[in-house]
Amino acid sequence: MNRINQTFHSLKASNRTALIPFITAGDPSIESTLPTMHALANAGADVIELGVPFSDPMADGPVIQRSSERALAKGMSLKKVLAVVAEFRTTNSTTPVVLMGYANPIEAMQRDHFVNAAADAGVDGVLVVDYPPEEADDFAAMLGKRNLAPIFLLAPTSSGERIAAVGRLARGYVYYVSLRGVTGAGHLDTVEVAEKVKAIKAIVPVPVGVGFGIRDGETARRVGETADAVVIGSAIVQGMFDAREKSSGSEATFAGDWLSKVRAALDR
Amino acid sequence: MNLYDLPDARGHFGQYGGVFVAETLIQALDELKAHYAKYQHDPEFRREFESELKHFVGRPSPVYHAKRWSDQLGGAQIYFKREDLNHTGAHKVNNCIGQALLAKRLGKPRVIAETGAGQHGVATATVAARYGLECVVYMGSEDVKRQAQNVYRMKLLGATVVPVESGSKTLKDALNEALRDWVTNVDNTFYIIGTVAGPHPYPMMVRDFQSIIGEECLTQMPEIAGRQPDAVIACVGGGSNAMGIFYPYINHEKVRLIGVEAAGEGLDTDKHSASLTKGVPGVLHGNRTYLLQDENGQIIETHSVSAGLDYPGVGPEHAYLKDIGRAEYVGITDEEALKTFHECCLIEGIIPALESAHAIAYATKLAPTMSKDKVLLVNLSGRGDKDMHTVSMKSGLSFYCHPECELGRHAAASPNKEQIVQLIKQ
């Protein structure tokens, strides 16, 4: 059984919502990524989404864009991200790791080679932002062969038909984009989100996570009333950057402390 | 060969094209696809499109025999398709009218566009003014600096120009930002993409709107040259003017199709924009195509003296035509293009856009290798007014702007013909 399924299985048994932090691998530095992952796991992260930086992150808002630019400037690459995951797995064999990024770095590595390397490194799921289901049949099958979960996005604009199509391919969980816009944008109408999440849950057989625009414990708690998981990205990434500006090396501590607070709010 | 009928229903040209976007854009693209299918052959839509092209743009654009130059070269006869004579000075406006008419029918009051050199931005701003639509143009902040005149033009036409500070601050980043705007404002906004790239249906739709160029040539060439050309030559950045003139000729198997990419400082350097010649297939901006990228799959910065060719990708249909061998793709350097630019001014009395100068340069290389009864058709896709600053800087010649500006001081030193001829010889 995939680590993601195990995690959601035991969360369900204890009636808890999964907390999924997102960080960009390589930002603010390549060395900071591994300790940050451990800090997040210790602070109660149920799954860690690791962003693979890309030169043209078209679905991301300014915070993740700049974060990706910084990571690339430090020399981060898909190969190095996999090395970080392998290193993480030497001491953590339970927290699922999902890679989130864009298609081109994966295609440049050759997709079959990437799938094998990711599985060997201990990755559990892969979310390719610009692989919608109609372009991802074969890639999803490749992932499945190595027991990796293809994670897909759903949007407020997704029709019932599309939700069903995504439901057929999705493993692990689906990621519902809670607002019209890019990552980190605007503010969230939690009532509207709750309705849509209920509709998705009725169609999709895997757990439903919600992300884009969740920036504090209180919003996370309200979204968590209906969603199976909440994903928080831009708020952590920005906070880590600010922390490092004040004191270099403090970013992992910040990420852990910050996530503990969200965890507490979520479990209240 | 079967009659060419691509893309398929999902927007694929063989392995290229497709819809590689985040789920957040799918619904907007589905809506666009449905509406385009509905209006594409609608007689009322076609009538309005053609009427606008005739009365607002000034179509059909003529085909012109560059006889003096052909005689000097001593080989094949060169003909120019004069897209430079269109209103706004380039082929870009054909597509903008088509898409703006769709925006009107979709009831979207706001249009957005990306631009590099500013030509597509100016064309979009023009059409938006004509139809009373709000217009926002995204432009890399580096390009805003380099193309101040076009920025001013867009503002005169009532558009808001947003400088983009992310990534390399050029065209590709402007496209990313326009996509982000579209995701956020999809309810009231129509995204007018300027080239045959992006997710399906854009490559197909832009090609269809631009294919008026080649359609006219099919009629005009027999009239002026007595027959269809032996080769059709066009410059390729994203590739919209080239697809526009190539497409109606694809089933004319004897006609060679030659796309000319920007070889910049040379194809052996890392300063060029020759995606088809030097790139490898990958995924960017919603489609699979040839891309200039590093070994980690990151998109790299490109270079060309001509901002309109300065793009790391290329339309997916060109990628397909290259792979099946139906079209050939070659490179012309900055230096060759600049030399041809000056020659075209002096020999034919036409100031071409630097983009178009790449296509002309290849034609003038090819013509002397062919007999005098052969015919080359070059798409002169735009006029060179926008390139005055670039050319004067690259040629080391002074340029007059207005009396108060800094450059005005050098006006007295403007070059005469002898100096330019001397420069070409060097």
Side-chain angles (χ1 to χ4, degrees):
Chain A
M1 204 189 202
N2 184 301
R3 267 183 287 258
I4 299 174
N5 299 345
Q6 276 169 0
T7 298
F8 277 101
H9 194 74
S10 49
L11 282 166
K12 195 169 185 186
S14 57
N15 199 22
R16 292 170 74 221
T17 304
L19 176 57
I20 308 182
F22 167 101
I23 56 168
T24 304
D27 176 52
S29 72
I30 293 183
E31 304 71 44
S32 70
T33 303
L34 183 63
T36 304
M37 289 172 77
H38 285 303
L40 292 171
N42 293 335
D46 297 298
V47 177
I48 294 172
E49 280 189 5
L50 207 48
V52 180
F54 180 49
S55 53
D56 294 78
M58 64 182 192
D60 284 299
V63 170
I64 308 293
Q65 285 172 43
R66 282 187 218 116
S67 166
S68 302
E69 282 170 23
R70 289 192 296 265
L72 290 175
K74 300 273 181 192
M76 201 36 148
S77 66
L78 179 51
K79 225 185 258 175
K80 289 181 186 167
V81 175
L82 293 175
V84 171
V85 177
E87 183 73 25
F88 178 72
R89 280 284 168 254
T90 60
T91 50
N92 182 321
S93 58
T94 52
T95 309
V97 174
V98 169
L99 299 188
M100 178 169 178
Y102 293 80
N104 203 54
I106 292 174
E107 299 212 349
M109 190 185 267
Q110 302 300 329
R111 295 190 302 174
D112 50 349
H113 179 79
F114 162 77
V115 170
N116 286 324
D120 294 345
V123 170
D124 303 284
V126 180
L127 195 173
V128 184
V129 174
D130 47 354
Y131 272 169
E134 48 269 77
E135 301 286 359
D137 283 4
D138 47 349
F139 186 65
M142 279 182 207
L143 290 173
K145 274 190 195 142
R146 290 299 313 266
N147 200 23
L148 295 177
I151 316 272
F152 289 97
L153 296 173
L154 282 170
T157 48
S158 301
S159 63
E161 205 177 310
R162 285 198 64 78
I163 296 172
V166 165
R168 280 191 289 277
L169 280 181
R171 300 288 180 274
Y173 58 97
V174 294
Y175 185 147
Y176 175 63
V177 175
S178 47
L179 44 79
R180 296 180 186 204
V182 291
T183 51
H187 81 285
L188 216 57
D189 182 341
T190 47
V191 177
E192 194 186 318
V193 169
E195 274 171 31
K196 190 76 181 185
V197 168
K198 274 180 210 153
I200 294 170
K201 278 176 143 180
I203 305 175
V204 171
V206 294
V208 178
V210 173
F212 282 40
I214 300 176
R215 46 181 75 241
D216 54 59
E218 182 50 28
T219 319
R221 193 191 55 75
R222 270 185 285 141
V223 169
E225 283 168 7
T226 42
D228 301 304
V230 293
V231 187
I232 304 187
S234 297
I236 299 179
V237 169
Q238 184 64 47
M240 285 172 66
F241 177 73
D242 295 343
R244 187 187 168 87
E245 291 289 281
K246 279 186 212 131
S247 146
S248 179
S250 66
E251 54 271 11
T253 319
F254 164 83
D257 291 350
W258 195 86
L259 200 74
S260 305
K261 286 178 207 152
V262 179
R263 175 85 266 173
L266 204 55
D267 293 342
R268 203 179 297 148
Chain B
M1 185 177 165
N2 292 326
L3 276 184
Y4 183 87
D5 183 24
L6 290 175
D8 67 17
R10 286 165 57 191
H12 294 111
F13 303 88
Q15 65 159 315
Y16 303 107
V19 186
F20 292 90
V21 296
E23 180 67 24
T24 43
L25 271 180
I26 292 284
Q27 201 262 341
L29 289 167
D30 282 349
E31 181 189 57
L32 177 61
K33 203 165 67 178
H35 279 86
Y36 180 60
K38 179 177 163 195
Y39 289 113
Q40 189 180 8
H41 303 295
D42 175 57
E44 176 53 26
F45 182 83
R46 296 300 313 176
R47 194 201 56 73
E48 190 177 356
F49 180 55
E50 280 157 23
S51 168
E52 290 293 286
L53 289 181
K54 183 177 175 188
H55 299 289
F56 188 61
V57 178
R59 302 202 73 90
S61 65
V63 169
Y64 163 80
H65 185 192
K67 188 165 185 310
R68 218 162 87 81
W69 208 347
S70 304
D71 287 349
Q72 286 182 20
L73 292 166
Q77 301 305 305
I78 299 174
Y79 290 79
F80 292 153
K81 175 63 172 170
R82 297 291 308 274
E83 290 299 299
D84 60 316
L85 295 178
N86 291 341
H87 177 43
T88 71
H91 71 289
K92 291 285 185 193
V93 70
N94 304 328
N95 164 55
C96 289
I97 287 180
Q99 293 199 45
L101 291 180
L102 271 182
K104 266 178 40 177
R105 279 164 174 75
L106 266 71
K108 310 248 167 154
R110 178 175 182 267
V111 295
I112 57 172
E114 83 294 339
T115 198
Q119 289 306 98
H120 175 57
V122 168
T124 306
T126 300
V127 171
R130 163 101 182 84
Y131 300 131
L133 302 166
E134 183 193 344
C135 179
V136 176
V137 178
Y138 289 94
M139 189 169 186
S141 59
E142 282 299 314
D143 291 331
V144 168
K145 276 185 230 153
R146 290 190 289 200
Q147 308 287 340
Q149 207 183 24
N150 269 342
V151 173
Y152 184 59
R153 226 172 249 160
M154 286 182 264
K155 288 181 179 170
L156 284 177
L157 292 160
T160 304
V161 180
V162 181
V164 176
E165 300 286 351
S166 59
S168 58
K169 306 178 172 65
T170 58
L171 175 59
K172 73 175 181 71
D173 311 286
L175 216 154
N176 291 330
E177 205 54 38
L179 284 167
R180 292 179 190 121
D181 178 312
W182 200 32
V183 168
T184 313
N185 301 299
V186 71
D187 287 339
N188 72 342
T189 299
F190 190 104
Y191 181 15
I192 300 186
I193 291 187
T195 192
V196 287
H200 181 64
Y202 282 102
M204 172 182 78
M205 183 172 71
V206 176
R207 172 200 74 192
D208 292 349
F209 288 139
Q210 290 295 2
S211 66
I212 183 77
I213 304 172
E215 293 292 345
E216 288 173 0
C217 292
L218 282 177
T219 317
Q220 291 166 317
M221 286 308 288
E223 287 169 7
I224 187 168
R227 64 186 184 86
Q228 296 300 343
D230 295 285
V232 177
I233 302 169
C235 63
V236 178
S240 71
N241 91 80
M243 266 333 296
I245 197 165
F246 285 179
Y247 183 59
Y249 279 102
I250 289 177
N251 285 327
H252 293 244
E253 287 172 54
K254 286 184 187 149
V255 180
R256 282 172 70 188
L257 306 176
I258 305 173
V260 184
E261 295 192 295
E265 294 181 8
L267 291 175
D268 299 328
T269 71
D270 55 4
K271 299 195 91 179
H272 61 75
S273 307
S275 330
L276 287 161
T277 314
K278 303 292 277 188
V280 290
V283 172
L284 179 69
H285 293 152
N287 65 100
R288 183 176 281 126
T289 187
Y290 280 86
L291 300 174
L292 292 170
Q293 52 180 305
D294 68 14
E295 70 279 9
N296 292 315
Q298 306 298 339
I299 307 307
I300 56 181
E301 286 182 38
T302 54
H303 165 84
S304 168
V305 66
S306 134
L309 302 182
D310 203 350
Y311 177 63
V314 62
E317 194 162 14
H318 285 294
Y320 177 74
L321 292 175
K322 174 192 158 84
D323 280 12
I324 63 165
R326 180 62 189 93
E328 313 154 49
Y329 295 89
V330 296
I332 284 289
T333 63
D334 288 353
E335 205 179 310
E336 292 171 313
L338 276 164
K339 179 169 172 284
T340 299
F341 173 92
H342 287 298
E343 286 172 343
C344 192
C345 296
L346 293 177
I347 300 170
E348 294 295 343
I350 296 171
I351 302 178
L354 282 172
E355 290 79 6
S356 319
H358 284 74
I360 302 169
Y362 191 73
T364 61
K365 270 184 167 180
L366 193 59
T369 69
M370 299 166 80
S371 61
K372 287 182 180 171
D373 59 336
K374 299 292 184 194
V375 173
L376 300 178
L377 172 61
V378 181
N379 197 6
L380 211 174
S381 54
R383 69 176 83 125
D385 305 31
K386 70 186 175 60
D387 295 316
M388 295 295 103
H389 269 107
T390 309
V391 172
S392 67
M393 275 164 61
K394 294 279 173 190
S395 306
L397 300 171
S398 308
F399 172 73
Y400 181 84
C401 48
H402 64 76
E404 289 79 26
C405 86
E406 206 184 330
L407 284 167
R409 293 184 283 118
H410 303 294
S414 282
N416 57 31
K417 183 177 170 181
E418 282 64 41
Q419 284 173 296
I420 297 177
V421 171
Q422 204 56 40
L423 193 89
I424 294 172
K425 280 184 189 153
Q426 280 165 15

